[in-house]
Amino acid sequence: PKAHYELGEELNMIDFEQAAYLFGSRSSILFRDLAKLERAISNYALDFAEKYGYTETSMPPLVKDVAMFGTGQLPKFENTFKTTDGLYLAGTSEIMMTNWIANKILKEEELPLRFTAYTSCFRSEAGSAGKDVRGMLRQFHFKKVELVSITTQDKSKEEHERMCQIESEILKSFKLPYQTLILACGDTGIASSKTYDHECWMPAQNKYREVMSCSNCWDYQARRMNGRYRNKDGKVVYCHTLNGTLVAVGRIIIAIMENFQTKDGTIIIPEVLVPYMNGQTVIKK
């Protein structure tokens, strides 16, 4: 099987050379059907999240340091992209959506709150150079659809399993081969009490690679941002927060291209995305 970057260049639908000139290393430009596929995946994922009760949101990608601190990105990611007036370019919409509860006291009956958003994301720590990260796997700028849940202390474990299942269901709907892992303690982020990773099979690399994850952050983030609710006994306690990537769009594009390539270099579009591609079933020159 060919790698996604080989397929994309042969189709004249991915450009890395001019992207590097315009935007720097670890960048890409999509054209025609692959650009449409990016949009199709994003729209499908938002509709998919809505079916499971997630409210779509649209928030600015620039955040203050207090928001970065609230979800745990600071002080660890102090060297991330930053504007001259001190605003940070968000690496995930988890930051904006979770901080919606900052300094609030919610009513227990309002919970769970479930939010989703499609945003551009910016990561300065894209990783080291190497064959396994060539192409679109690790980029400084990428797009994704994120899920965030705000819930009560006694429901967060149940909510986490629900979120993990939603991620599994969307991969099943694409008919992509995948596996689900529970991260070991040493690999789990500082904010998370438990994290699941979903990995898709990448034929050109002959291995599974992470395409999404979901984490139960317990009350770690809520304590940092002072997000609380009044329980049925009238006591004010900290919320539990969860977040998960429903689709990291670029990585799903890689998985689709490599798993659904044909011998003549065309790419079969997953059936669930055909309506979002105006009835188009294959990508070809």
Side-chain angles (χ1 to χ4, degrees):
K2 292 183 178 179
H4 72 281
Y5 45 82
E6 295 175 287
L7 292 163
E9 289 173 338
E10 289 173 5
L11 291 165
N12 294 319
M13 294 183 191
I14 299 182
D15 183 285
F16 296 107
E17 185 176 345
Q18 194 69 4
Y21 174 74
L22 292 172
F23 314 115
S25 62
R26 297 195 178 279
S27 301
S28 61
I29 303 171
L30 301 182
F31 295 94
R32 295 182 293 281
D33 289 347
L34 286 183
K36 290 179 184 177
L37 183 63
E38 180 182 69
R39 177 159 48 94
I41 293 168
S42 307
N43 287 337
Y44 172 72
L46 288 170
D47 289 346
F48 196 89
E50 186 178 20
K51 289 195 306 182
Y52 286 91
Y54 285 84
T55 299
E56 185 174 348
T57 67
S58 177
M59 300 187 186
L62 292 170
V63 295
K64 296 164 64 176
D65 55 0
V66 66
M68 292 279 285
F69 178 83
T71 45
Q73 275 73 26
L74 287 182
K76 181 179 179 181
F77 297 118
E78 175 61 39
N79 294 325
T80 194
F81 294 117
K82 191 176 181 181
T83 66
T84 54
D85 57 357
L87 293 175
Y88 291 85
L89 277 71
T92 169
S93 58
E94 165 204 342
I95 301 167
M96 297 84 87
M97 292 189 289
T98 308
N99 270 282
W100 188 84
I101 67 166
N103 299 316
K104 289 186 177 184
I105 301 177
L106 304 171
K107 298 176 182 177
E108 183 169 347
E109 54 266 29
E110 294 180 81
L111 304 176
L113 294 172
R114 297 181 177 123
F115 299 129
T116 187
Y118 167 62
T119 59
S120 287
C121 302
F122 305 88
R123 301 277 176 92
S124 59
E125 74 293 352
S128 59
K131 182 180 178 182
D132 66 321
V133 292
R134 182 182 169 191
M136 294 171 56
L137 190 67
R138 295 186 186 277
Q139 300 193 108
F140 292 120
H141 166 252
F142 59 97
K143 298 171 183 176
K144 67 172 177 166
V145 175
E146 184 79 358
L147 304 176
V148 160
S149 294
I150 315 294
T151 189
T152 58
Q153 296 181 355
D154 61 328
K155 294 290 185 181
S156 66
K157 290 183 178 179
E158 177 184 322
E159 186 73 13
H160 193 206
E161 297 303 315
R162 182 182 189 270
M163 185 179 285
C164 181
Q165 185 60 32
I166 292 169
E167 292 184 350
S168 295
E169 289 301 321
I170 198 168
L171 290 174
K172 289 177 186 177
S173 75
F174 292 136
K175 293 184 168 57
L176 287 169
Y178 75 94
Q179 64 182 14
T180 308
L181 307 176
I182 302 175
L183 293 193
C185 288
D187 294 325
T188 303
I190 189 173
S192 175
S193 65
K194 183 179 180 180
T195 295
Y196 289 110
D197 272 3
H198 283 82
E199 299 181 337
C200 274
W201 179 251
M202 302 295 186
Q205 296 186 41
N206 198 36
K207 64 173 67 174
Y208 285 93
R209 297 302 297 258
E210 179 197 342
V211 293
M212 57 182 69
S213 66
C214 62
S215 298
N216 184 352
C217 295
W218 213 248
D219 59 359
Y220 180 91
Q221 294 177 326
R223 287 178 180 274
R224 291 168 76 94
M225 64 182 65
N226 200 30
R228 297 161 292 165
Y229 70 96
R230 193 179 303 276
N231 66 19
K232 292 175 182 176
D233 298 326
K235 184 179 179 181
V236 176
V237 295
Y238 288 105
C239 299
H240 279 193
T241 64
L242 304 94
N243 64 80
T245 302
L246 185 57
V247 290
V249 182
R251 294 193 175 192
I252 295 297
I253 289 175
I254 294 172
I256 289 172
M257 291 178 70
E258 294 193 2
N259 281 285
F260 301 141
Q261 62 181 292
T262 64
K263 289 182 179 180
D264 64 1
T266 62
I267 298 161
I268 299 170
I269 296 169
E271 187 177 347
V272 292
L273 295 179
V274 170
Y276 293 84
M277 294 287 290
N278 297 320
Q280 186 175 341
T281 58
V282 297
I283 293 174
K284 59 183 179 181
K285 278 189 178 180

